[in-house]
């Protein structure tokens, strides 16, 4: 395993919730010399300065200030959340066993969650003398499990069984004699009385590089933590043009529509860009000019051709693992001829292989971070990602060599000098 893939696996193994993912990336930025800003403060930005800010404990935006008059924003966007189970506020169900009340977050594959060790991670609010304090919490042990029903009692289990999440996906936490003890365990970890929580289940299996040639990487939350990590690496690696404003965006809540204060549909990114323009002493006209000459990488993984079911993919546009960065096409995506051409040319110059994805015509695609963000910021955008298998499973698979492909592609885009017109782009 090379050092870059090892670093990605370390991140995946640490980011058991959106809050842990954001904290990890924020610490990475701080270690790279980025200064934290707060939305409620006035900003004093220095030429060449490096800054980041967070929102909701689960989203962040980082940027660098140019030395000269800015030409535009070079941006990437990814998301920190994944389909999982959210722990309910009153979570204990006690009878013959002690179980936990949970609800689904996002569109998940249910069956892979069963019969494997799970635990809990997220954030809690704790009572203090000064008021309320938010703390990250991760119970680092095999704590609970969702047991399957034996085949003898569910003969339809392998024949399209219809799951009832109110019955079939309640985790077992202990015997009836342990009623009430989980709350005590959580408060011991938190260091005080818990007033509220945003807690989620996660699988205990660590990220794994496997295959005869170690060509595959499997982990929880590859969609979309791989892109969040890869975009951060490209952002930090880039040798930026002095007149560009590079921006890194990691949003939350993509899996449930992005319509939250920390989602791509929020004002988080437009307000941040406006605050940068204001702090640089520029005008609203400058803001409009900069946005018009900007480029956004909308980064979220795409479906690879399945080895056992190739018929489910489009015949001509079905990427494979380790085949390179995927350019995603759909009438519902932000990719168009100009943005796709610009991205592919930058990849060609950086010697990064690319491939294409499109839905089969009888399958509907979903929205992306790009077209959601474009409703607030009309800019040239391309939807890209890594090819992966088992999307929205609790344990997904991608090509291990695509890690380097993706980071090199993002780095090349952050280093680009682009000049857009309404229908064309000049690549310096």
């Amino acid at each position: 395993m090379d050092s870059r893939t090892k670093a990605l696996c370390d991140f995946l193994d640490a980011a058991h919730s959106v809050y842990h993912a954001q904290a990890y990336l924020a610490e990475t930025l701080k270690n790279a010399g980025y200064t934290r800003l707060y939305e409620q403060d006035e900003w004093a930005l220095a030429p060449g300065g490096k800054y980041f800010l967070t929102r909701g404990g689960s989203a962040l935006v980082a940027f660098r200030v140019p030395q000269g008059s800015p030409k535009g924003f070079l941006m990437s966007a990814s998301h920190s959340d994944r389909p999982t189970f959210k722990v309910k506020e009153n979570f204990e169900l006690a009878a013959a066993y002690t179980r936990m009340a949970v609800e689904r977050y996002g569109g998940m594959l249910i069956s892979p969650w069963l019969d494997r060790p799970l635990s809990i991670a997220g954030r809690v609010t704790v009572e203090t003398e000064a008021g309320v304090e938010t703390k990250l919490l991760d119970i680092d042990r095999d704590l609970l499990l969702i047991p399957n029903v034996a085949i003898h009692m569910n003969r339809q289990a392998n024949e399209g069984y219809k799951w009832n999440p109110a019955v079939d996906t309640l985790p077992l936490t202990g015997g009836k004699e342990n009623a009430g003890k989980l709350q005590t365990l959580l408060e011991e970890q938190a260091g005080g009385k818990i007033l509220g929580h945003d807690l989620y289940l996660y699988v205990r299996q660590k990220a794994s590089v496997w295959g005869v040639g170690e060509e595959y990487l499997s982990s929880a939350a590859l969609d979309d933590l791989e892109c969040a990590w890869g975009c951060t690496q490209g952002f930090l690696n880039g040798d930026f043009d002095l007149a560009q404003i590079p921006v890194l965006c990691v949003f939350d809540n993509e899996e449930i529509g992005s319509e939250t204060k920390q989602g791509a549909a929020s004002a988080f990114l437009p307000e941040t860009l406006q605050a940068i323009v204001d702090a640089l002493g520029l005008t609203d006209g400058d803001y409009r000019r900069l946005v018009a000459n900007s480029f956004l990488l909308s980064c979220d993984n795409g479906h690879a051709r399945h080895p056992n079911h190739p018929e489910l993919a489009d015949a001509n546009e079905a990427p494979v693992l380790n085949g390179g960065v995927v350019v995603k096409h759909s009438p519902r995506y932000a990719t168009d001829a100009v943005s796709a051409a610009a991205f592919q040319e930058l990849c060609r110059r950086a010697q990064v292989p690319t491939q294409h994805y499109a839905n089969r015509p009888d399958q509907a695609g979903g929205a992306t971070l790009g077209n959601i963000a474009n409703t607030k910021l009309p800019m040239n955008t391309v939807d890209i990602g890594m090819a992966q298998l088992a999307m929205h499973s609790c344990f997904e698979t991608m090509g291990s060599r695509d890690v380097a492909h993706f980071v090199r592609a993002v780095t090349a885009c952050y280093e680009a000098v682009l000049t857009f017109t309404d229908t064309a782009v000049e690549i310096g």
Side-chain angles (χ1 to χ4, degrees), residues 145-283:
L145 182 144
I146 305 172
N148 235 315
V149 174
I151 190 68
H152 314 79
M153 302 172 185
N154 182 10
R155 296 293 182 180
Q156 290 75 47
N158 297 323
E159 301 170 7
Y161 176 69
K162 186 174 181 179
W163 298 96
N164 181 350
V167 176
D168 294 319
T169 60
L170 301 180
L172 177 64
T173 62
K176 64 180 180 180
E177 71 278 6
N178 287 310
K181 292 184 179 180
L182 181 55
Q183 181 70 26
T184 301
L185 174 62
L186 295 175
E187 293 190 342
E188 287 176 352
Q189 290 269 338
K193 179 178 174 57
I194 294 177
L195 302 177
H197 59 77
D198 295 306
L199 296 172
Y200 300 86
L201 303 191
Y202 71 90
V203 299
R204 295 283 293 158
Q205 188 171 356
K206 292 185 178 297
S208 172
V209 174
W210 58 279
V212 174
E214 293 192 330
E215 62 264 60
Y216 303 124
L217 190 162
S218 295
S219 173
L222 288 179
D223 173 21
D224 191 33
L225 291 186
E226 187 280 330
C227 287
W229 182 86
C231 287
T232 303
Q233 295 302 306
F235 176 77
L236 294 175
N237 292 343
D239 183 12
F240 303 118
D241 179 76
L242 295 181
Q244 302 283 3
I245 304 178
V247 182
L248 169 72
C249 313
V250 181
F251 296 113
D252 189 9
N253 303 124
E254 190 275 342
E255 300 294 359
I256 56 171
S258 295
E259 294 182 341
T260 63
K261 67 181 184 297
Q262 57 272 351
S266 73
F268 187 26
L269 180 56
E271 287 177 349
T272 301
L273 300 187
Q274 183 67 63
I276 295 171
V277 169
D278 293 343
L280 295 178
L282 303 176
T283 67

Side-chain angles (χ1 to χ4, degrees), residues 51-126:
Y51 305 95
F52 76 97
L53 64 154
T54 65
R55 180 180 283 188
S58 56
L60 65 80
V61 173
F63 61 92
R64 292 181 66 168
V65 178
Q67 297 282 357
S69 178
K71 298 177 182 178
F73 299 102
L74 292 175
M75 308 201 297
S76 68
S78 56
H79 65 90
S80 58
D81 62 324
R82 85 289 297 267
T84 183
F85 290 97
K86 189 176 191 300
V87 178
K88 288 190 171 183
E89 196 68 21
N90 298 312
F91 56 77
E92 187 166 86
L93 303 170
Y97 301 98
T98 304
R99 297 176 298 158
M100 173 177 284
V102 296
E103 57 186 325
R104 289 176 294 175
Y105 174 93
M108 61 168 57
L109 283 170
I110 291 178
S111 59
W113 283 88
L114 277 64
D115 300 327
R116 62 167 76 212
L118 308 171
S119 195
I120 305 168
R123 68 176 180 179
V124 295
T125 52
V126 180

Side-chain angles (χ1 to χ4, degrees), residues 30-43:
K30 284 196 291 185
N31 291 338
Y34 283 74
T35 299
R36 184 166 188 165
L37 301 173
Y38 296 90
E39 292 185 276
Q40 61 268 35
D41 295 342
E42 289 191 20
W43 295 356

Side-chain angles (χ1 to χ4, degrees), residues 368-386:
T368 67
L369 292 166
N371 54 24
I372 292 171
N374 276 180
T375 64
K376 310 288 185 183
L377 289 165
M379 63 179 61
N380 293 281
T381 303
V382 61
D383 282 295
I384 64 169
M386 295 291 91

